[in-house]
Amino acid sequence: MLPEIEQYFRLEKLPHMWCPGCGNGIILHSLVKAIDKLCLDQDRTTMVSGIGCAARASGYLDFDTLHTTHGRALAFATGVKFAKPELNVFVLTGDGDCTAIGGNHFIHAARRNINLTTIVFNNNIYGMTGGQYSPMTPNSCRATTSPYGNLERPFNLTELAIAAGATFVARTTTYHTKQLTDLIIEGHKNKGFSLIEVITHCPTSFGRQNKMGTPADMLKWQRDHGISAMRYENLNPEERADKFIIGVLHKTEAPEYTTEYQKLLEKLG
Amino acid sequence: MSTEPRLIQGNEACAEGAIYAGMRFYAGYPITPSTEIAEILARRLPQVGGKFLQMEDEIASMAAIIGGSLTGAKVMTATSGPGFSLKQENIGYACMAEIPCVIANVQRLGPSTGVATAPAQGDVMQARWGTHGDHPIIALTPSSVREAFELTVRAFNLAEQFRVPVILLMDEVVGHMREKVTLPQPGEFPVVNRVKPTCSRENYYPYKADGDKTPPMACFGEGYRYHVTGLFHDESGFATEKPEIIDWQLKRLHEKINQHLDEIITYTSEETEDADLVVIAYGGTARAVSRAVKLARQEGRKVGIFRPQTIWPFPEAAIGELAASGKKLLVAEMNYGQLLLEVQRVAAGRSEVHSCLQSNGELTQPDVILTKIREVYEHAPGN
């Protein structure tokens, strides 16, 4: 067994409950590799998750773990981080959890620039409830609640995070595992709110309903459609249509909330 | 803290009581008529090294205090009717995951937006059953400024002792009323802190409890590395769907409260010994009832007042005794009959139960209650 699995997983909780071919396990592996490289103190690192397939991730990881209510992971995590800023706090959330029911907490955590590393497992669908469309389901895609094709438009989550004030914003896929680890490392080093959107595959619901083939086919789709900003620049508008940029999309500096509060305490104290 | 008497509001007494109890983490959202609690704490908490956070909504406020509590802080939020409705799901989470916290609900007139500045007591049943599923709850209800302070301290003590959310069920009258009070000095009032585990990480089962049914609670960041979830869970804290474990957990959640009813339930009763009629009232209404009872006594009517300070768990034994003695009971509250239902249930036909109910945005006046007292008093049983 890989040493980082042995070190950071609650081995007795495995095998996990995700479907065969699901991408969530790939994200967890990249996450623990990042934590290992960051040399984070396991006793002072907290994983906070909401509700849904992605949110079950916290239970498999050997840290203080908080599996909360639907959509509210960022609000719970804000409480943990604000009360004890010395803790490393990661938020593990899905696209439905984070961008629909939790959308308000998402924009406000970004606006506050509170030091949370948020990983959005974007599988474009509500997996746990059986495949309903989410705010990240592309237009015209099928879901059990859009049997004639989705009429809604999806969020551009990274643009939303940037507009709301996040100071580190990145995107990658479960095909690009090395890059995912690097982005989590860089995101965690950022002193502020970091978003890492990970395009992951749900062969059982999204893939099946949209005829995307096997899990391997879905990974190949990620490989072929997620491209670097440099490659994207060189494409004509037609070629760009079904592509998306992966890598760091935004990085800036701004006052971090718990640091600013600490300054206030020192001023008054 | 000054020993000089101060003229302060119930909401201010609540904020000061929270600080006295050791509360150092507040998250809230502005809502009338509770906003002063947030405003006062925004100023006071940073002065004592505490954390104040205005969240984006009521739901987030409730979530944030649960997160704060898990790091070891004593935490609270304050709200009113509409906000109390929004917090319910996460209040249930705190029941299930056994997270100590205090929720002040300064009741206003509902349903819906109702009248933001008008008093009411319409959230009695929401305090009990607002969140889904079977769960025990503790709710305290003060009727003076001094008592708002004392019951706030007590709310924290109970929350920490039993690892539960405690509702401080105030009303607009008590929240906004000003009275002269001398706040207690440190040490004058007991302050309870949660029990933490002393065992090693390997031997720590976050939901394993001894005889008192409340398990010791580890703080995040102290090396216990445990799991917290709103799913039904076993002693280790991990999810289960096994009926026998679900049964064990839910029973324990109830037993940890039910085994300590004598400790949790407090009330006052005045002139009930020789009374033929006892008025049952709480919060702002109890003040008008006190006056009405005094006037009734002056008229020669043997009337007393029973005032629950703990409204949930319902003071069933004490009210059962009153009912068994055959005294007439009159419930006065600012709603269409919520505590009344409990009194009727407990009386179970052993005594007459009458009511004086009002829900129009005004505090029930003493003369309205006195008129009702006279009416009930004059009529022989069965009339």
Side-chain angles (χ1 to χ4, degrees), chain B residues 91-98 207 229-233 249-250 253:
Chain B
I91 291 173
Y93 185 93
C95 292
M96 186 69 144
E98 301 181 61
Y207 294 98
T229 178
L231 291 165
F232 271 101
H233 44 267
Q249 187 194 345
L250 201 51
L253 289 181

Side-chain angles (χ1 to χ4, degrees), chain B residues 52-337:
Chain B
F52 174 90
L53 182 55
Q54 184 169 308
M55 289 298 281
E56 54 271 18
D57 59 36
E58 297 278 3
I59 300 170
S61 309
M62 191 62 217
I65 66 166
I66 293 171
S69 185
L70 277 161
T71 70
K74 288 188 184 177
V75 301
M76 97 177 278
T77 187
T79 189
S80 187
F84 193 50
S85 298
L86 286 165
K87 289 184 192 298
Q88 292 300 333
E89 185 194 7
N90 284 338
I91 291 173
Y93 185 93
C95 292
M96 186 69 144
E98 301 181 61
I99 313 292
C101 54
V102 172
I103 302 103
N105 173 12
V106 187
Q107 295 169 92
R108 66 191 230 186
L109 186 65
S112 190
T113 315
V115 179
T117 53
Q121 296 174 316
D123 301 352
V124 171
M125 282 299 173
Q126 194 187 10
R128 179 66 193 89
W129 294 114
T131 196
H132 58 281
D134 287 302
H135 60 282
I137 200 82
I138 298 176
L140 310 180
T141 178
S143 71
S144 70
V145 172
R146 165 84 191 189
E147 201 171 67
F149 182 97
E150 291 176 1
L151 291 189
T152 302
V153 178
R154 198 166 144 66
F156 280 97
N157 289 348
L158 294 169
E160 294 288 317
Q161 182 179 349
F162 297 109
R163 290 188 61 176
V164 286
V166 174
I167 315 291
L168 185 73
L169 200 60
M170 311 234 292
D171 57 56
E172 193 276 340
V173 174
V174 176
H176 280 165
M177 167 175 72
R178 287 179 190 275
E179 285 183 302
K180 192 171 87 172
V181 289
T182 305
L183 296 179
Q185 295 295 299
E188 208 173 303
F189 238 72
V191 166
V192 175
N193 297 311
R194 70 187 69 164
V195 175
K196 291 167 79 170
T198 50
C199 62
S200 66
R201 163 176 146 73
E202 290 68 30
N203 294 320
Y204 181 54
Y205 288 86
Y207 294 98
K208 186 177 177 182
D210 294 330
D212 72 350
K213 308 287 181 186
T214 303
M217 183 173 173
C219 296
F220 275 13
E222 290 185 349
Y224 284 93
R225 301 212 300 257
Y226 69 108
H227 188 59
V228 179
T229 178
L231 291 165
F232 271 101
H233 44 267
D234 60 18
E235 289 183 335
S236 72
F238 287 93
T240 182
E241 290 179 359
K242 288 182 185 153
E244 64 276 17
I245 298 178
I246 291 171
D247 195 48
W248 159 83
Q249 187 194 345
L250 201 51
K251 282 190 175 139
R252 182 177 63 72
L253 289 181
H254 284 80
E255 281 166 6
K256 73 176 178 177
I257 300 301
N258 292 340
Q259 283 184 358
H260 296 91
L261 291 181
D262 290 346
E263 249 175 280
I264 296 168
I265 294 173
T266 66
Y267 51 83
T268 66
S269 57
E270 285 167 41
E271 304 195 74
T272 54
E273 283 287 298
D274 69 334
D276 296 321
L277 167 66
V278 175
V279 187
I280 299 170
Y282 51 92
T285 311
R287 305 175 68 87
V289 169
S290 285
R291 175 75 186 153
V293 164
K294 199 171 166 191
L295 295 172
R297 282 272 168 184
Q298 283 169 8
E299 292 173 353
R301 295 181 172 86
K302 290 179 179 170
V303 183
I305 172 171
F306 178 94
R307 185 171 67 83
Q309 292 165 309
T310 311
I311 206 160
W312 302 115
F314 183 65
E316 191 158 331
I319 288 178
E321 247 172 64
L322 290 176
S325 70
K327 296 176 197 296
K328 291 180 184 179
L329 303 177
L330 170 63
V331 180
E333 51 184 342
M334 287 186 283
N335 58 46
Y336 274 12

